Amino acid sequence: MEDGSWVLVNRPTDRDLWNPTSTYLEDSKPLKITSTGPAKYWTDAIPIGNGRLGAMVWGGVSSELIQLNEDTLWTGTPIDYTNPDAPEALADVRNLVDSGEFAEASDAAAKLFGTNANVYQLLGDIKLEFDGSLLMCAEETYYRELDLDTATARVKYFVGDVEFTREHFASYPDQVIVTKITGSKEGSVSFTVSFDSKLDHHCYITDESEIVMEGRCPGKRIPPKVKVNDDPKGILFAAVLGLQISDGAGFMSVLDDGKLKVEGANWVVLHLVASSSFEGPFTKPSESEKDPTSVSLRALKSIKMQSYSELYSRHLDDYQNLFHRVSLQLCKGFDRSVGDRYLEIKNLMPYGNKCVEGNKDVVPTVDRVRSFQSDEDPSLVELLFQFGRYLLISSSRPGTQVANLQGVWNKDLEPKWDSAPHLNINLEMNYWPSLPCNLSECQEPLFEFIKSLSINGSKTAQVNYKTSGWVVHHKSDIWAKPSADKGDVVWAIWPMGGAWLCTHLWEHYSYTMDEDFLRNKAYPLLEGCASFLLDWLIEGHGGYLETNPSTSPEHMFVAPDGKPASVSYSSTMDMAIIKDVFSAIISASEVLGRNEDAFVQKVQKAQPRLYPTKIAEEGSVMEWAQDFKDPEVHHRHLSHLFGLFPGHSITIDKNPELCEAAENSLYKRGQLKYTTSLGVLRLHGSIQLYHFLAPVPILFWS
């Protein structure tokens, strides 16, 4: 490491692996996601964001839709997450597991349910309706792109001899979403603009010709069919839209229906700011003293006199300071008999702006994705890699909420899986690129979230399970919900969420060597988590310490009596996560000079007694403590391979037999053939590129 920069180069070390016909790509294609038509579906729209604010830009011609999000808009209020009846239910479940009645234990575990998590909401829409005489776009001239190098969305097209251009970006330093609309001919820009939202809201126009939208989120998860007075006060929000019009050309008027009309302008710049009354996971919205309208109006006032160029320059300086730290280039040649590519990953200090103008002749990205099976274009993998980094930068920055299931983007009142943080892999995957891809600052919201979870989780651990420390299950929300969700035992009864998150604390120290972070932030959280795990472990089969009840996330098995079940004891993932947490505690205590502490000694004594990872009769890694029949061999989760990745308990040097079993597990799951065809996963080579690519949400790669 030199002057804060670092370089990782991962190349084949055996000359026999090298394909001499490979050609190193010095000039990769521009990092742009391109399209030759407007979005037809939400997943086709372009995501932009500054961590707190997000937008999906559709790029229509006759009308434009910009769907907005603000990361603190959630249903609900803080509540009590404890269940005094849980200890008795826990004892019943453990007895059934000990008796081998796994199906019955699975049914009984439903008594351990808590309340449903709350739901991430949308903010609303900016709607632009363009002059009716300019609707006939020449389709062959239409071009839409997301420029990853500048975090800018662009739309271009011709109507007659006039070229229209729109640029959109979300500025972190100025906390504003900016849109600039220009026409190549003087006086050619005319449109009406308005706000709308699916949430309860109203709009009005100020004396400064700004559109204000005020509203509130439901105080309960599902809008109750009761009187309004019975609905607790939910989070309030406000959004303000201001317009700048070219000097000397164009004018703006207020329409009766709450719209603004622009006519005859050369260019127009839109500024969108928004805020909410949310003051933290422990403050009820009804007790908040924050006025989102006043906050938003002040924010707009501070930026509206600044030029577009000034705002854009600050946006670029901030964004490229993060994005330009890493470059990736892959070679063109590929030897399928080997399955390895030449891979060079460099983490660099920031360099200059390399924005390249879009080319309408470029093949649309969706066509490049379709053709990948027959033409493995390495530049598409480079684009996908950098898209993952872009999405993390755009959805998680210091001071924002944690990146949720869809980052920061959502269009629905009832989104899939509540768009909530899921801790049984999704939240962790969001942050896998943060350290190896040199975006450590983007982790800060995660660490603040863990801290809040530990506060609520300590109460749940004490009341529900009679343990010390703190616990979190598989799903949470903005109120830092730690308890088991309500729904299905196969995913809800999984008290390892906090433990998995804690492995990120040690990883952060391992990369940064920040001893102050380890001492003041990480270690207290690790200690509380390990304290819960020590109390949660019980004496079990063969003198081992085991977890009971235990599930393998979202996956069932066939019990020896032929019944489907999900609850047993000591799932492989449970044990692998606990091993990593205990190892982190021991390693951290050595750094901090606390290895003689009684607590650390207790962890050291418990670690070798953890139930070991075993190999099934057919050669794969066992997912459960017993070799149960798997009713879904191609299940989407690979939970039993946690020790290989992202954990550290399985390595080629220490456990070659388990690595071979893991490879067999991937074949069994139907995963290994697919991943090696992309050249991104080799058990006996590099696994790093795989976890760089994995966090890219499927939502944005359709």
Side-chain angles (χ1 to χ4, degrees):
M1 185 177 293
E2 183 176 353
D3 296 331
S5 63
W6 53 282
V7 176
L8 169 64
V9 179
N10 182 11
R11 299 169 175 162
T13 55
D14 188 335
R15 291 184 181 273
D16 292 336
L17 295 179
W18 178 244
N19 176 8
T21 63
S22 298
T23 303
Y24 185 63
L25 297 182
E26 292 293 345
D27 298 317
S28 294
K29 294 180 182 178
L31 294 172
K32 295 183 178 184
I33 297 174
T34 61
S35 177
T36 56
K40 296 181 180 179
Y41 308 99
W42 184 71
T43 48
D44 295 336
I46 295 175
I48 60 174
N50 64 11
R52 185 177 67 87
L53 299 173
M56 295 292 282
V57 181
W58 285 60
V61 175
S62 61
S63 63
E64 173 64 285
L65 177 63
I66 305 172
Q67 294 177 305
L68 305 170
N69 292 101
E70 203 275 355
D71 70 351
T72 62
L73 299 192
W74 285 73
T75 64
T77 64
I79 62 171
D80 180 5
Y81 298 104
T82 64
N83 176 9
D85 296 328
E88 182 179 352
L90 177 62
D92 291 341
V93 173
R94 283 178 167 171
N95 287 333
L96 289 168
V97 169
D98 288 340
S99 301
E101 300 177 72
F102 300 115
E104 291 75 11
S106 301
D107 293 337
K111 294 180 180 179
L112 296 171
F113 286 160
T115 57
N116 288 117
N118 275 288
V119 184
Y120 184 50
Q121 300 290 277
L122 48 81
L123 172 57
D125 302 330
I126 296 175
K127 296 184 175 181
L128 302 171
E129 301 289 337
F130 292 96
D131 189 325
S133 64
L134 302 176
L135 302 186
M136 299 301 294
C137 163
E139 292 185 7
E140 68 276 8
T141 69
Y142 185 96
Y143 178 74
R144 181 166 59 101
E145 71 174 20
L146 170 60
D147 185 347
L148 300 182
D149 189 69
T150 62
T152 305
R154 293 188 182 90
V155 177
K156 294 184 179 183
Y157 56 88
F158 275 86
V159 176
D161 61 348
V162 181
E163 182 181 31
F164 291 94
T165 303
R166 296 180 223 140
E167 289 188 334
H168 313 261
F169 65 90
S171 168
Y172 175 73
D174 290 298
Q175 290 296 301
V176 60
I177 292 176
V178 182
T179 295
K180 184 175 185 179
I181 306 170
T182 60
S184 61
K185 184 177 180 180
E186 288 192 8
S188 59
V189 176
S190 299
F191 61 88
T192 60
V193 59
S194 61
F195 265 141
D196 196 8
S197 179
K198 297 176 183 178
L199 289 170
D200 181 24
H201 75 285
H202 64 277
C203 296
Y204 61 91
I205 298 177
T206 69
D207 294 338
E208 301 291 326
S209 295
E210 300 156 343
I211 306 178
V212 178
M213 177 170 64
E214 298 174 333
R216 72 161 190 159
C217 299
K220 293 183 178 179
R221 173 188 163 87
I222 299 175
K225 296 178 181 179
V226 295
K227 296 180 180 179
V228 174
N229 292 339
D230 294 332
D231 185 7
K233 184 178 181 180
I235 295 172
L236 303 178
F237 67 86
V240 182
L241 184 67
L243 278 66
Q244 287 181 343
I245 300 179
S246 50
D247 296 332
F251 63 92
M252 181 168 57
S253 57
V254 178
L255 303 182
D256 293 337
D257 52 359
K259 299 180 180 179
L260 292 177
K261 184 174 183 178
V262 175
E263 296 179 276
N266 296 339
W267 54 262
V268 179
V269 176
L270 284 66
H271 299 140
L272 182 282
V273 295
S275 183
S276 83
S277 62
F278 179 77
E279 289 193 292
F282 312 118
T283 301
K284 294 180 179 179
S286 60
E287 298 172 356
S288 172
E289 297 181 358
K290 185 178 177 183
D291 179 359
T293 301
S294 297
V295 172
S296 298
L297 288 170
R298 285 196 301 270
L300 183 60
K301 184 178 180 180
S302 69
I303 64 172
K304 67 180 182 179
M305 300 308 295
Q306 301 178 42
S307 70
Y308 179 83
S309 297
E310 290 170 332
L311 291 172
Y312 192 56
S313 177
R314 277 199 297 277
H315 159 68
L316 286 181
D317 287 345
D318 167 75
Y319 171 76
Q320 291 181 337
N321 176 54
L322 295 171
F323 189 74
H324 280 173
R325 293 175 183 176
V326 173
S327 67
L328 170 68
Q329 288 184 307
L330 302 173
C331 74
K332 181 67 174 176
F334 183 55
D335 185 346
R336 290 182 181 276
S337 67
V338 175
D340 281 317
R341 292 181 182 275
Y342 181 97
L343 166 65
E344 183 172 52
I345 305 167
K346 292 184 178 179
N347 282 272
L348 308 166
M349 292 305 289
Y351 47 86
N353 179 14
K354 294 170 61 179
C355 178
V356 180
E357 282 298 316
N359 185 336
K360 293 188 289 293
D361 295 329
V362 172
V363 177
T365 304
V366 66
D367 292 341
R368 295 174 64 190
V369 173
R370 293 192 185 107
S371 65
F372 192 84
Q373 289 291 343
S374 58
D375 177 20
E376 293 188 353
D377 177 7
S379 66
L380 181 63
V381 179
E382 296 167 9
L383 181 66
L384 179 59
F385 166 81
Q386 295 288 15
F387 187 42
R389 296 181 67 243
Y390 166 83
L391 291 174
L392 181 59
I393 296 170
S394 301
S395 61
S396 183
R397 301 291 292 273
T400 73
Q401 299 302 304
V402 72
N404 63 51
L405 195 61
Q406 295 176 181
V408 71
W409 302 277
N410 170 40
K411 66 178 177 63
D412 299 312
L413 295 178
E414 298 182 48
K416 293 289 186 181
W417 303 287
D418 303 331
S419 195
H422 284 58
L423 281 58
N424 66 1
I425 191 169
N426 305 94
L427 179 58
E428 292 84 358
M429 285 181 73
N430 282 350
Y431 288 94
W432 281 352
S434 56
L435 293 169
C437 292
N438 211 348
L439 298 172
S440 63
E441 300 95 323
C442 295
Q443 278 191 308
E444 290 187 23
L446 178 65
F447 299 148
E448 290 301 313
F449 188 53
I450 296 173
K451 182 179 178 181
S452 297
L453 288 170
S454 72
I455 294 172
N456 282 339
S458 63
K459 301 171 187 175
T460 300
Q462 181 179 4
V463 175
N464 291 27
Y465 301 134
K466 301 297 183 183
T467 68
S468 59
W470 59 277
V471 63
V472 182
H473 293 73
H474 100 286
K475 185 177 180 182
S476 190
D477 55 28
I478 199 171
W479 309 110
K481 165 186 156 59
S483 57
D485 210 53
K486 191 174 185 179
D488 195 322
V489 168
V490 71
W491 41 259
I493 306 304
W494 189 73
M496 293 290 126
W500 191 347
L501 289 180
C502 277
T503 65
H504 286 247
L505 299 168
W506 177 249
E507 290 287 333
H508 183 82
Y509 170 76
S510 298
Y511 271 83
T512 65
M513 305 303 288
D514 184 343
E515 196 167 317
D516 287 338
F517 169 83
L518 181 64
R519 176 179 289 105
N520 299 318
K521 290 187 177 180
Y523 194 82
L525 293 168
L526 280 164
E527 189 175 40
C529 173
S531 180
F532 165 76
L533 294 174
L534 286 171
D535 289 349
W536 181 250
L537 290 163
I538 58 177
E539 295 286 339
H541 300 71
Y544 289 111
L545 294 176
E546 66 182 30
T547 55
N548 177 6
S550 177
T551 60
S552 190
E554 304 185 27
H555 198 193
M556 299 188 72
F557 58 86
V558 178
D561 59 7
K563 298 177 181 178
S566 57
V567 172
S568 62
Y569 63 94
S570 298
S571 71
T572 301
M573 188 183 206
D574 277 11
M575 293 295 109
I577 291 175
I578 295 172
K579 287 174 186 175
D580 264 37
V581 172
F582 283 2
S583 294
I585 279 285
I586 294 169
S587 297
S589 70
E590 293 173 355
V591 174
L592 300 176
R594 301 186 58 173
N595 48 315
E596 297 299 325
D597 288 3
F599 176 77
V600 177
Q601 296 292 313
K602 189 175 181 181
V603 171
Q604 289 178 327
K605 291 178 181 178
Q607 190 174 39
R609 297 186 60 205
L610 295 175
Y611 200 87
T613 302
K614 294 188 174 183
I615 299 175
E617 186 175 338
E618 40 77 26
S620 64
V621 174
M622 285 172 52
E623 189 161 355
W624 301 274
Q626 295 185 29
D627 197 2
F628 297 126
K629 181 180 178 181
D630 187 344
E632 190 181 355
V633 294
H634 292 159
H635 192 268
R636 62 194 177 280
H637 282 244
L638 298 170
S639 304
H640 51 313
L641 302 188
F642 180 96
L644 176 69
F645 182 82
H648 303 282
S649 58
I650 299 177
T651 67
I652 294 290
D653 294 334
K654 293 190 302 183
N655 325 92
E657 73 289 346
L658 286 176
C659 288
E660 184 176 351
E663 190 169 8
N664 291 335
S665 296
L666 289 170
Y667 276 115
K668 182 179 176 181
R669 278 286 203 266
Q671 295 290 322
L672 192 58
K673 179 180 179 181
Y674 170 73
T675 50
T676 53
S677 73
L678 290 178
V680 297
L681 176 57
R682 292 284 292 171
L683 284 177
H684 302 292
S686 171
I687 198 168
Q688 291 167 332
L689 184 55
Y690 172 72
H691 75 258
F692 292 157
L693 301 183
V696 179
I698 295 173
L699 289 169
F700 299 120
W701 202 258
S702 59

